[in-house]
Amino acid sequence: MFQAGIQERIQLMEPALVESSDKCLYLTEKGEGKAELEVRLCNDCILIRNLENNKLEYFKNKKCADYVMFESKDDIWKVHIFEMKRTVKEETWEKEIKKQFCGAMQNVLAFSGVLGIEIEDIVLHTVYRNDKINDTANPVRQHPGIRHKSRSMTDWNDEEISLVFLDKKRFKHDKIKLKIDTGEGQYCL
């Protein structure tokens, strides 16, 4: 598990919102967008839950992703930011999800200071059921004369996304598709 100093710092946080494990963690959403993602782990991780409702309020960007996970491997720290959406559309992607990622990164800076760790990398994850950006059922997207790739579509389908945060402009991004009917899924870090 973690060094004693980090364990002590984890104790400074609200226990209902923070969990650590080296095996498995669950990310859940309730209500209309019900979702459950089982994240299987290979390394020690610290999960900050319900970040969207417990973010630091002194930042200008009030948007924030749902979960932040700090992963430790050989004393090298990587952060995983998870945003859970039932449906991803071009407008949602550009005006909501990407801003939520930036808001979570602001909070990550504060958490890493409290934990006394230095972050080597940040990976963004969108957890979803429906992809309306690549929706092949949309007749406009199927028409050969109109088939074009928007900036959002290119960004969404790439393994890295364009997102300006401090001095970095590109971030690794994973799309995690849940079962459409149940909203359940699994992911391995």
Side-chain angles (χ1 to χ4, degrees):
M1 217 43 191
F2 301 107
Q3 301 168 355
I6 292 177
Q7 288 290 9
E8 288 174 20
R9 291 167 183 253
I10 291 172
Q11 300 305 314
L12 296 172
M13 298 181 193
E14 184 62 45
L17 302 176
V18 179
E19 182 179 357
S20 59
S21 178
D22 63 350
K23 305 259 185 284
C24 186
L25 290 166
Y26 290 90
L27 285 57
T28 58
E29 288 291 309
K30 296 180 178 163
E32 188 180 314
K34 182 180 176 250
E36 185 171 300
L37 179 67
E38 176 186 353
V39 182
R40 295 180 182 171
L41 310 171
C42 295
N43 300 302
D44 292 331
C45 290
I46 303 167
L47 178 66
I48 314 269
R49 300 182 172 285
N50 200 15
L51 187 59
E52 186 173 36
N53 296 320
N54 294 289
K55 61 191 172 285
L56 300 170
E57 291 294 326
Y58 51 82
F59 291 120
K60 286 181 183 177
N61 178 0
K62 301 297 183 200
K63 295 187 178 287
C64 193
D66 300 310
Y67 294 89
V68 169
M69 188 179 299
F70 293 85
E71 177 187 16
S72 175
K73 181 179 179 183
D74 302 324
D75 290 325
I76 295 174
W77 289 89
K78 182 187 284 190
V79 171
H80 299 272
I81 298 174
F82 294 87
E83 175 56 29
M84 300 178 88
K85 290 284 186 223
R86 183 180 185 103
T87 302
V88 178
K89 302 175 187 172
E90 285 190 50
E91 186 173 321
T92 310
W93 174 243
E94 288 295 331
K95 295 183 178 173
E96 199 172 317
I97 297 171
K98 289 172 86 173
K99 288 184 179 179
Q100 288 172 303
F101 285 145
C102 284
M105 286 189 272
Q106 293 171 154
N107 284 270
V108 161
L109 293 174
F111 286 126
S112 63
V114 169
L115 292 170
I117 61 173
E118 188 174 321
I119 300 164
E120 295 289 324
D121 196 17
I122 296 176
V123 181
L124 309 173
H125 307 270
T126 305
V127 183
Y128 67 98
R129 286 193 203 190
N130 304 301
D131 176 356
K132 295 294 183 183
I133 294 176
N134 291 314
D135 188 5
T136 56
N138 182 341
V140 173
R141 295 220 190 272
Q142 291 180 354
H143 191 277
I146 301 178
R147 190 175 278 176
H148 73 284
K149 282 192 169 186
S150 67
R151 188 183 88 210
S152 296
M153 183 183 253
T154 302
D155 204 31
W156 171 250
N157 290 320
D158 201 357
E159 290 180 9
E160 285 190 342
I161 63 170
S162 298
L163 189 66
V164 177
F165 184 76
L166 299 178
D167 59 346
K168 194 168 178 182
K169 296 184 182 358
R170 304 277 302 162
F171 290 87
K172 185 175 183 327
H173 177 252
D174 286 330
K175 298 185 296 186
I176 304 171
K177 183 151 176 52
L178 301 173
K179 293 178 185 174
I180 291 176
D181 54 339
T182 64
E184 297 172 341
Q186 294 178 340
Y187 185 76
C188 294
L189 277 185

